[in-house]
Amino acid sequence: MADFELRAYQKEVVERALNRENVIIWLPTGGGKTRAAVYVAKRHLESTANAKVMVLVNKVHLVDQHYNKEFEPHLGDHYKLMKVSGESEEKDFFGIVVKSNDVIICTAQILYNALINKEEAKHIELSDITLLIIDECHHTHKESVYNKIMRCYIEKKLKGQQPIPQVLGLTASPGTGGATTLEGAVEHVLEICANLDSVIVSTKNYTPELEEKVPRPKKTFDIVEKRAEDPFGDHIKWMMKQIHEYMDLPSDVRLRECGTQEYEADVVILEQRGVRENNRLLAQCALHLREYNDALLINDTLRMMDAYRSLEEFYNAKLTTAIDGTDHFLVGIFQENQVELKNFATNHRFENPKMAKLESTLLSQFGPDVNSRGILFSRTRRSTHCLHDWVLKNRTLQNAGIKAAILTGAGNGITYMTQHEQADTIRNFRKGLLNLLISTSVAEEGLDIPECNLVVRYGLLTNEIAQQQASGRARAKDSQYSVVAQKGGREVRRELINEYLEELTGKAIDRVQIMSEHEFRRKINELQTQAIIISKVLQDRKTEKKNQYPASRIRILCRNCFAQVASGNDFRLLENAHYVNINPGFKNHYKLGGKVALEKHFEDWEPGCTVSCNNGNCNKDWGFEMKYKKVAQLPNLAIKNFALETPDGRVTVKKWKDVPFMVEEFSFQHYCEANFPDLFD
């Protein structure tokens, strides 16, 4: 086993954990929290009979990272380690994996599934674990999977059920939970402590050593003046005004300023209202207004051509899907103004001045003979692709030796990355084959990314936790943390508020740390009891909502054309994850599209083709077919693509968990009996 020493400040923060107390370690990004956790795990394994260490992470890529970089090198010689994620076959017999290994590193969802699954090969109890390490533990709140696990723990604790594991939480940024006063921030920190049943520790005696190890970057506000002229944006606003007049806005609706996230929220609500009121004109106009608003937001942050292309892509898809006069009007407005919009977008005289400022910010740290590494944070996956395209086409940046790549969250879809692509990108960045990552918030937290000397926040409005995480990426000596923003813009105000909230977090933690043991324990018990009661009340309400209507009384409509396509009792819940329609007649309502490609492979099913509405020109995307156990061809549908007609009116929901009726579990045997009766004669 590779032996290792901790720095003095790390020894200080693990001291109480080594005495078997439940502890949250609060150290900044780059301060060595994971190394400290490995040390605690090592000492625990050496001193505990039948020790079982479980390390929980909240993102799949962190499973490999913690295993490969920290736990396996230091513990692998003497102990059996196993890493498990949703992509691992081991998840299907997780109970057996836990029994036969000393240290298990997994996503939190895997553990939670195992706690509630009663199948012997998959089930485990909290009492099987002796040390539970929770990475990025500030996520232990509300209905997060971390909190669901800890709620099981708290219930056992309050009932006096033993044994329960020792808990070790790790965080760089507990945050204030939205509070802006010291009292509110203290309450939030106490809630995190209560949820983790832990005290919170930080270095008190070795702050200079920590500051030397994790230097704070130099912060700059790179400010640009507002555009003198913006004919492209002005023309889009004029087009939006035409739609406002056409749709005859209801008298009680007040839309806020175009080109803001507030306006986006308004038109999202307006679309839902249109669907509820069977007013397709209102719903469709609201959808198109959202696209124009997106274009304004892009125009504010990126190039005019990026904004133009976003509209062009949207309307190219709409050309062949017009159903009625509303669609023809909306498509017509774009077609009539398309040439003028493109002319504005290609006139460099009106280009976004933020792009020039971003260029000069990058050039301040990059050059042909300069060995720099940087991360450019942006808000959306689309914006990272636009910025990457801009860097590749910018001769000055290319001459400065910038080798850029995109880093976004994993998922399915054109703009998502696979886990392998993420890993390859980070590996190439670490090797120096790349020197600039253009990233969404995925790179803010947890990822083992080498020290950077430049972090740029571009067009972002986020909370103090995200700001601290991003700032912590600039860890090289004399590094720079830059905020590129418009003069008087909201990004600067938000950044200054976040600085205040970061300071407030530190004061709140100090206040919690100086509480007497008796007062702290009293408060923690009070918060834990409250949390369990509130959780049970909310669960009862959820069950009540689920039983609001019989499934047979719910009619399911396409959200785009409002055609009735199914009944609530056509749906079944498959493997607690997929909502499928089992009615053979449903096939008549959809058409098949391209094959769905997923990086993961699944034990019992594989994806088929996309499915979309077959009503005339509608073509609304609904989901995809899946083949279950090589026999059952089942449409797997996203409820956000439908409207629900209930006995009390029409409603829309984003997720299946919010539907007002119970969905029965899928029975493979019943399905086979109904569809292959000859086999059961």
Side-chain angles (χ1 to χ4, degrees), residues 431-583:
K431 284 180 183 172
L433 300 173
L434 299 168
N435 56 15
L436 179 68
L437 293 181
I438 303 172
S439 179
T440 52
S441 59
V442 70
E444 284 171 354
E445 187 172 282
L447 276 178
D448 181 34
I449 290 169
E451 294 178 349
C452 297
N453 54 305
L454 176 65
V455 166
V456 183
R457 305 252 296 161
Y458 189 68
L460 283 175
L461 292 167
T462 54
N463 65 13
E464 74 282 7
I465 293 177
Q467 179 177 313
Q468 278 173 266
Q469 299 275 11
S471 169
R473 293 288 161 210
R475 302 206 289 265
K477 199 170 184 301
D478 302 323
S479 57
Q480 179 187 348
Y481 172 85
S482 162
V483 179
V484 176
Q486 186 176 293
K487 187 176 182 180
R490 292 187 302 171
E491 297 99 330
V492 176
R493 288 201 299 278
R494 184 71 235 186
E495 202 74 20
L496 294 172
I497 289 167
N498 286 343
E499 285 178 14
Y500 163 72
L501 294 177
E502 185 180 344
E503 202 177 300
L504 195 62
T505 302
K507 288 178 181 173
I509 291 170
D510 287 342
R511 180 78 68 88
V512 169
Q513 288 173 335
I514 61 170
M515 288 172 79
S516 71
E517 178 72 11
H518 172 75
E519 175 62 14
F520 178 77
R521 290 295 162 200
R522 185 193 66 75
K523 185 67 180 168
I524 293 303
N525 276 329
E526 182 187 297
L527 288 169
Q528 289 174 341
T529 307
Q530 274 177 22
I532 295 297
I533 293 167
I534 290 167
S535 169
K536 289 196 183 308
V537 169
L538 291 176
Q539 191 54 49
D540 289 346
R541 280 190 196 155
K542 204 179 279 184
T543 306
E544 203 177 290
K545 188 184 175 186
K546 280 279 181 203
N547 292 318
Q548 201 173 339
Y549 306 106
S552 58
R553 301 285 307 280
I554 304 290
R555 292 186 297 139
I556 309 292
L557 318 179
C558 172
R559 188 157 179 164
N560 182 49
C561 67
F562 298 168
Q564 183 183 333
V565 294
S567 163
N569 58 0
D570 292 339
F571 289 92
R572 296 292 183 271
L573 175 56
L574 174 63
E575 292 188 347
N576 211 31
H578 312 286
Y579 288 85
V580 296
N581 189 311
I582 59 164
N583 186 335

Side-chain angles (χ1 to χ4, degrees), residues 168-392:
L168 177 64
L170 310 174
T171 183
S173 44
T176 67
T180 54
T181 64
L182 183 56
E183 291 70 26
V186 167
E187 190 70 15
H188 171 72
V189 172
L190 283 168
E191 275 178 24
I192 296 286
C193 290
N195 292 344
L196 288 151
D197 196 42
S198 299
V199 297
I200 185 162
V201 299
S202 54
T203 185
K204 299 295 180 191
N205 302 320
Y206 300 98
T207 308
E209 184 195 40
L210 176 60
E211 287 172 352
E212 187 185 339
K213 169 71 173 75
V214 191
R216 299 277 292 191
K218 176 185 167 218
K219 186 167 191 173
T220 61
F221 286 100
D222 294 310
I223 304 300
V224 296
E225 295 292 333
K226 192 176 178 183
R227 272 183 171 124
E229 291 179 87
D230 183 16
F232 177 82
D234 292 341
H235 199 72
I236 286 178
K237 287 175 184 174
W238 177 84
M239 291 165 73
M240 292 168 83
K241 190 163 175 280
Q242 306 307 302
I243 298 172
H244 288 168
E245 288 171 6
Y246 174 80
M247 70 199 289
D248 191 17
L249 273 174
S251 58
D252 59 333
V253 172
R254 290 286 176 273
L255 296 175
R256 284 170 284 185
E257 187 187 349
C258 295
T260 63
Q261 285 171 21
E262 288 80 10
Y263 182 91
E264 180 178 330
D266 291 342
V267 290
V268 165
I269 292 165
L270 198 60
E271 186 272 341
Q272 292 166 353
R273 176 171 172 171
V275 173
R276 278 200 316 276
E277 296 177 356
N278 197 30
N279 184 342
R280 190 170 183 278
L281 185 150
L282 192 66
Q284 288 303 305
C285 286
L287 273 178
H288 286 246
L289 285 169
R290 185 177 181 181
E291 291 297 323
Y292 282 113
N293 195 64
D294 271 352
L296 287 175
L297 289 168
I298 294 168
N299 180 50
D300 183 53
T301 316
L302 302 161
R303 297 167 297 188
M304 293 182 290
M305 272 308 289
D306 296 320
Y308 172 79
R309 284 193 196 105
S310 77
L311 288 172
E312 190 177 50
E313 280 171 30
F314 177 75
Y315 280 101
N316 282 347
K318 288 287 176 191
L319 283 174
T320 55
T321 59
I323 294 173
D324 58 21
T326 299
D327 297 323
H328 291 299
F329 168 78
L330 292 166
V331 170
I333 277 216
F334 179 72
Q335 287 178 323
E336 287 162 19
N337 290 276
Q338 190 171 1
V339 172
E340 199 166 355
L341 276 178
K342 192 167 186 180
N343 286 340
F344 286 137
T346 50
N347 188 331
H348 297 299
R349 202 156 54 91
F350 307 122
E351 198 48 274
N352 190 348
K354 286 182 189 169
M355 301 300 288
K357 180 59 75 172
L358 178 59
E359 179 183 306
S360 65
T361 301
L362 292 172
L363 292 173
S364 71
Q365 293 282 353
F366 286 93
D369 305 313
V370 181
N371 187 18
S372 284
R373 271 204 184 100
I375 305 181
L376 168 55
F377 284 108
S378 190
R379 191 169 76 92
T380 63
R381 286 189 299 277
R382 178 191 280 277
S383 64
T384 62
H385 284 264
C386 294
L387 287 166
H388 184 242
D389 180 67
W390 169 71
V391 169
L392 291 181

